Amino acid sequence: MSADIKVPTLGESVTTATVAKWLKHPGDAVKEDDPLVELETDKVSVEVPAPQSGVLGPLLVPEGEEVEVGTVLSTIEAGSGAAPKPAAAPAPKKEAAPAGVQAQPAASGPVARPATPPSDVAAQGAAAVAFPSARKMMTEQGVSAAQVGTGTGKDGRITKGDVQTFLSQPRAAQPAAAARPPRQDDPREERVKMTRLRRTIARRLKDAQNTAALLTTFNEVDMSAVKQMRAEYKDLFVKKHNGTKLGFMSIFSRAVIAALQEFPAINAEIDGDDVIYREFVNLGIAVGGPNGLVVPVIRDADKMSFAEIESTIAGFGKKAREGTLKIDELSGGTFSITNGGIYGSLMSTPIINAPQSAILGMHAIQDRPVAVDGQVVIRPMMYIALTYDHRIVDGKEAVSFLVRVKQNVEDPRRLLLQV
């Protein structure tokens, strides 16, 4: 009995992946749950395990090819041993044919197989001469294996370091590309292939705009109380929680969670003609990684303390920088927070992470003059923005939610007293 090896569900809104590396060969004996093939998405790498024990069949998709969720990559035939591989007969020695003349097989020898088409040879060659990580970087940078040349890896395979070395060379020292794009570019222009991450971001943002009725409302938060609380308790917090630092993200997270419990539509989701309301909060926190912004999810964040949230966010940040986030850590969110302030953004309109119904945008803290009790004073202020799907969230709910977040942050005692 055979079982298909299919591309698994890759996470929220992730529909395609690239076959990075086959870990087994046709005819190999495999055990259930043995890793068979490594897939790369725009965010993470994932290994596909064997669905049963048996013998691996032909590889239906070569390395480097893009596949969709559900695509059959190979099959496994039930059995305990690898298929026997025929021993290769030693090739008889023969003299080289003169240039331009194709050698003919000896009369007693086997019939020669048809030559592989040149296009297939090129495709196989590109996969054979570079490691998956190197191929990914070459694709992102618009570089061919021929330009990089012979690699420093085993059997001359190109490594990621070889690509980085090539890219660090002055432009004039880099070999010319094998073929120019059909369009004649202006010499002052540079054509670079769009990365998978950028293509996915573009598609998802456009899908969100085409599907949801997006609207953004703004407010501003006086960060004085939060900064004072951090200054007063930061050392004690670190000591109490084994080195975990008290940051703004846990405070905003708890402020958001309290507001979501008061306004459940903002934590809900549209599914066809139904609305799914939730009694839990899976909070997505946008973090920066080498491949761009990713949004790992803090599951059941409503049950976590400040320290647990801070520790989880720190762990996600480390994994994002190392590229080790897993698929299940990037899916299942019910509401997201993004902090453009760490990059200096003063104001923005974030786009929701579908199928979620809203997202909160945090921004840079700036000292600004504000009126307090009839007096003009200088306070550390932050603009906050809530983008929401107007199909499910009314304007009054959105504005009231953002006001409640503002109140919770400006007076963190409200979170303790749950008022």
Side-chain angles (χ1 to χ4, degrees):
M1 183 177 180
S2 65
D4 290 337
I5 303 164
K6 297 182 179 181
V7 178
T9 300
L10 299 168
E12 213 166 33
S13 302
V14 181
T15 59
T16 62
T18 300
V19 178
K21 183 180 181 181
W22 279 100
L23 307 176
K24 300 289 184 180
H25 302 284
D28 283 355
V30 298
K31 296 180 180 179
E32 185 176 355
D33 293 330
D34 277 355
L36 301 178
V37 60
E38 183 180 286
L39 304 178
E40 289 182 349
T41 73
D42 54 331
K43 296 177 179 177
V44 295
S45 296
V46 61
E47 292 180 345
V48 179
Q52 68 179 31
S53 298
V55 178
L56 184 62
L59 309 184
L60 304 180
V61 182
E63 293 181 358
E65 186 166 319
E66 190 168 320
V67 289
E68 296 182 350
V69 172
T71 299
V72 178
L73 302 172
S74 183
T75 58
I76 291 183
E77 297 293 336
S80 58
K85 298 180 182 179
K93 295 183 179 180
K94 53 186 177 181
E95 296 181 0
V101 179
Q102 183 175 357
Q104 299 297 322
S108 59
V111 178
R113 294 182 180 180
T116 304
S119 58
D120 292 346
V121 172
Q124 295 170 7
V129 299
F131 287 98
S133 59
R135 289 202 306 275
K136 181 180 179 182
M137 179 174 285
M138 288 191 292
T139 300
E140 292 174 349
Q141 299 296 330
V143 173
S144 68
Q147 289 176 270
V148 178
T150 303
T152 59
K154 185 178 179 180
D155 300 326
R157 293 182 74 182
I158 297 172
T159 67
K160 187 175 181 180
D162 295 328
V163 181
Q164 291 173 332
T165 299
F166 169 79
L167 294 172
S168 67
Q169 298 175 10
R171 180 69 59 178
Q174 297 178 1
R180 288 186 173 274
R183 176 178 174 268
Q184 286 294 327
D185 296 335
D186 189 290
R188 296 167 294 178
E189 297 177 336
E190 180 181 9
R191 180 185 294 267
V192 179
K193 187 175 180 63
M194 188 180 288
T195 65
R196 280 179 52 81
L197 175 60
R198 182 52 53 190
R199 293 200 309 269
T200 300
I201 290 174
R203 174 179 53 78
R204 292 180 64 185
L205 294 185
K206 191 59 182 173
D207 286 347
Q209 287 182 322
N210 292 340
T211 303
L214 299 182
L215 194 63
T216 303
T217 184
F218 301 91
N219 213 313
E220 61 178 351
V221 177
D222 184 343
M223 300 292 290
S224 300
V226 169
K227 294 187 71 173
Q228 181 180 346
M229 183 179 71
R230 284 184 68 199
E232 186 173 350
Y233 290 104
K234 64 178 181 180
D235 294 336
L236 184 60
F237 191 91
V238 170
K239 183 178 179 180
K240 173 71 174 179
H241 299 291
N242 300 318
T244 300
K245 297 180 179 179
L246 177 61
F248 293 133
M249 288 306 302
S250 63
I251 297 169
F252 270 91
S253 296
R254 291 301 317 177
V256 161
I257 290 167
L260 288 174
Q261 292 169 336
E262 188 174 350
F263 302 96
I266 297 175
N267 194 45
E269 172 188 331
I270 292 178
D271 183 19
D273 293 331
D274 300 326
V275 176
I276 301 175
Y277 291 95
R278 303 180 175 94
E279 296 181 356
F280 62 91
V281 177
N282 286 348
L283 193 61
I285 302 291
V287 296
N291 294 325
L293 208 63
V294 292
V295 189
V297 176
I298 305 175
R299 299 187 181 279
D300 294 318
D302 51 306
K303 299 178 181 179
M304 290 186 174
S305 66
F306 286 85
E308 289 172 327
I309 291 175
E310 288 288 359
S311 178
T312 304
I313 293 174
F316 283 152
K318 183 175 184 292
K319 287 184 176 182
R321 292 188 296 272
E322 296 173 349
T324 58
L325 283 168
K326 303 298 183 183
I327 288 294
D328 59 352
E329 294 174 318
L330 296 167
S331 59
T334 62
F335 183 89
S336 295
I337 300 177
T338 182
N339 184 6
I342 60 176
Y343 304 111
S345 172
L346 184 62
M347 180 78 78
S348 68
T349 55
I351 295 182
I352 63 173
N353 187 18
Q356 298 172 25
S357 296
I359 182 172
L360 178 75
M362 298 167 55
H363 300 92
I365 302 173
Q366 281 194 339
D367 286 344
R368 293 199 295 272
V370 294
V372 178
D373 297 329
Q375 300 292 322
V376 176
V377 296
I378 304 298
R379 292 289 176 87
M381 304 298 293
M382 175 194 288
Y383 289 119
I384 55 176
L386 179 76
T387 297
Y388 59 98
D389 187 348
H390 211 346
R391 296 177 303 165
I392 184 174
V393 180
D394 292 333
K396 179 182 178 181
E397 286 179 297
V399 172
S400 299
F401 170 87
L402 202 59
V403 168
R404 183 68 73 238
V405 171
K406 167 187 170 68
Q407 291 172 339
N408 290 339
V409 174
E410 289 186 339
D411 186 0
R413 295 173 298 179
R414 298 175 63 100
L415 300 175
L416 177 63
L417 299 175
Q418 298 181 335
V419 295

